Amino acid sequence: MERELHVISNGKLSFSQMATIAAEIVDYVDYIHIRERNKTTKELYEGVMLLIQSGIPPSKLVINDRIDIALLTGVNRVQLGYTSADVRIIKDRFPQLHVGCSVHSLEEALCKQQEGADSALYGHIFATRSKAGVPPRGLEELQEIATTLTIPVTAIGGIIPTRVKAVFGTGASGVAVMSSIWDANHPLEAVKEYEKQIQRWGEGQ
C-alpha cells in the first residue's frame, strides 16, 4: 500500500498566502485539505478556484464538509465530520465523490465504513497544541482501527517526521499534518522532511 501525506489548512491564512505555500509543496504531498470553517461560501469558492489557478490540481484537493463547494469547483474528494451530512445520502446522490470521514473511535469508524465512507481520518494520535488538555489516542488504538477497517485510515495529531515510521507501522495508510507545514519558516523544507521519512519507510518494506 502506498503511504500518503495529507496537509490540512489551519484556518489562519488567507487563500492568497495558502496558494503561495501550496504551489511550493504540491509536488511533495498527496492531498491538501481545505478546512476553513470561518470562511463564507463566496470566500471558499473563490479561494479554491485561486488554488486551482495557482497550479494545484483539483485531484489533490479535499474539501472539508462543503459538498457544494466541491461540486462547484470540480474537486472530487470531501472530508466529513460528525456534524456533516449523512455519508449514505452523499454517496447515493454523488457517487463520483470520494467521501472521507473524520472518526474518533473504532465504533464510529466501523459505522462510517458501513455507511459507505471511502476513507477515514483518525486522531489525535500524539499530544498536540491544538488539542491541549485532551489525552491523545495513541498508536495502539490507531493500530486497532487501521487493521480492523478495510478502507484506508490516515492518522492525524502531533505527527512530526520522526514519528512517521511508528505511525505507518500500525497499518495506517497516511499521515496528516497541519501546523508543522503552514507555520514553518520554510514550508517546502518541512514537507521534504516528511517525504524523506515516507520514502525511507517504503524502502524498508
Side-chain angles (χ1 to χ4, degrees):
M1 179 192 298
E2 185 177 343
R3 267 40 185 196
E4 297 174 342
L5 176 59
H6 297 238
V7 177
I8 301 179
S9 71
N10 61 10
K12 300 176 183 178
L13 303 178
S14 68
F15 271 109
S16 178
Q17 292 171 312
M18 204 185 308
T20 299
I21 295 173
E24 290 183 359
I25 67 174
V26 67
D27 290 339
Y28 299 90
V29 306
D30 294 285
Y31 297 103
I32 298 173
H33 293 235
I34 308 304
R35 184 166 73 178
E36 299 291 316
R37 296 167 179 166
N38 296 321
K39 299 285 196 301
T40 65
T41 298
K42 178 179 171 58
E43 288 171 334
L44 276 171
Y45 172 76
E46 292 180 350
V48 173
M49 292 307 298
L50 175 61
L51 288 169
I52 293 171
Q53 291 159 7
S54 299
I56 313 304
S59 60
K60 283 199 171 189
L61 292 174
V62 182
I63 307 297
N64 186 269
D65 193 45
R66 296 295 301 271
I67 312 303
D68 56 336
I69 297 298
L71 294 171
L72 286 169
T73 56
V75 173
N76 65 0
R77 294 180 70 107
V78 295
Q79 184 70 30
L80 306 182
Y82 68 93
T83 61
S84 301
D86 186 87
V87 176
R88 286 195 184 97
I89 295 173
I90 296 170
K91 292 298 292 185
D92 182 59
R93 293 289 302 277
F94 309 107
Q96 77 276 20
L97 292 180
H98 175 109
V99 178
C101 287
S102 299
V103 298
H104 305 90
S105 69
L106 177 60
E107 181 181 14
E108 185 183 1
L110 285 169
C111 179
K112 295 303 180 184
Q113 177 177 272
Q114 187 176 18
E115 290 175 1
D118 297 297
S119 62
L121 180 70
Y122 178 74
H124 60 292
I125 307 305
F126 302 101
T128 174
R129 285 177 298 173
S130 63
K131 298 284 185 180
V134 181
R137 292 179 167 85
L139 293 171
E140 198 171 308
E141 289 189 26
L142 171 62
Q143 183 167 13
E144 183 181 24
I145 287 181
T147 56
T148 301
L149 268 60
T150 57
I151 59 176
V153 176
T154 295
I156 188 173
I159 303 175
I160 57 177
T162 54
R163 290 171 172 165
V164 166
K165 181 179 179 180
V167 169
F168 287 155
T170 67
S173 65
V175 294
V177 296
M178 186 185 300
S179 57
S180 57
I181 303 302
W182 303 112
D183 293 347
N185 290 328
H186 303 286
L188 179 58
E189 294 307 311
V191 162
K192 284 183 176 180
E193 188 57 39
Y194 280 99
E195 181 63 20
K196 184 194 304 180
Q197 296 300 323
I198 292 172
Q199 288 180 352
R200 284 179 179 172
W201 166 262
E203 292 167 357
Q205 299 309 296

